[in-house]
Amino acid sequence: DPYKTTISYSEQLKSFETSLYFRPYFSPTPFRPFVYFGGYLTNLRSATGSVDLEYKLKDKITPDIDKYDLSKNNINVIQMRNKNRQGIVLGAGLSYKAKNFLISADAGYRVDVGKHITNSNNRLKNDDLLFKYYYIDNDVNINRIDITLCVSYIFKYSIKSK
């Protein structure tokens, strides 16, 4: 029986994401507060994991405690992930217009809906993680806060009156 077991797992995900949202402005002044809401689609491009397993085992014959330390980096775990996900985005911010420049800062909350990032049909596909490191993947959703700072240049700006 293990005396003490510690497992550490980290993962790096690279994806392409596109958003479509509605963003009304509240004020025609140079400082413009805004809110936005909409949706996004994410396509996972790569997923690599790193795992460290450390455990101490008490020897059955002697009073010694043997220490074992195993680690592995750059484990391809993309087969354990759902490659396409969608979600909802909600946010608020402030923009400032000076001549043809628009500077804006906002914070948005992104919530995955539908599928978990973990592909539950393939959570046990990686034999190394399962049998060597005793790691079983959990169902995971990625909800996050994005903070954005943007500087835009407007080439042509016109207001049409009725």
Side-chain angles (χ1 to χ4, degrees):
D1 295 309
Y3 180 72
K4 181 181 176 187
T5 303
T6 306
I7 186 167
S8 174
Y9 180 80
S10 64
E11 190 166 314
Q12 182 178 12
L13 305 173
K14 293 181 182 175
S15 60
F16 175 77
E17 185 169 288
T18 184
S19 301
L20 180 64
Y21 50 83
F22 179 67
R23 181 172 146 169
Y25 289 94
F26 294 117
S27 169
T29 63
F31 284 98
R32 299 177 183 178
F34 59 87
V35 295
Y36 59 92
F37 56 91
Y40 63 90
L41 298 172
T42 300
N43 178 260
L44 186 63
R45 311 305 283 172
S46 71
T48 55
S50 298
V51 64
D52 292 308
L53 174 66
E54 179 184 301
Y55 62 95
K56 296 176 181 174
L57 195 61
K58 191 172 185 178
D59 194 301
K60 301 267 184 197
I61 300 170
T62 67
D64 296 339
I65 296 175
D66 298 322
K67 181 179 174 185
Y68 297 92
D69 193 3
L70 302 168
S71 64
K72 187 171 183 179
N73 295 319
N74 298 319
I75 304 165
N76 185 0
V77 293
I78 195 145
Q79 77 277 10
M80 297 167 60
R81 303 287 167 253
N82 284 313
K83 292 183 183 175
N84 297 305
R85 298 182 336 275
Q86 62 278 341
I88 298 169
V89 61
L90 305 165
L94 181 69
S95 68
Y96 175 75
K97 185 175 182 304
K99 295 191 180 184
N100 285 14
F101 285 96
L102 182 67
I103 301 166
S104 63
D106 67 78
Y109 186 62
R110 295 176 178 266
V111 180
D112 278 357
V113 295
K115 296 180 187 176
H116 293 287
I117 191 166
T118 306
N119 184 335
S120 57
N121 295 328
N122 292 340
R123 79 173 63 231
L124 305 176
K125 289 285 185 183
N126 192 309
D127 290 342
D128 251 5
L129 286 175
L130 186 61
F131 296 113
K132 193 171 182 181
Y133 299 98
Y134 311 110
Y135 178 78
I136 297 175
D137 219 11
N138 296 319
D139 284 332
V140 176
N141 272 345
I142 297 182
N143 300 335
R144 64 191 186 277
I145 295 174
D146 289 343
I147 298 174
T148 307
L149 179 62
C150 178
V151 177
S152 304
Y153 182 79
I154 301 167
F155 290 105
K156 184 177 179 184
Y157 183 77
S158 64
I159 299 174
K160 296 181 181 179
S161 60
K162 292 183 180 183

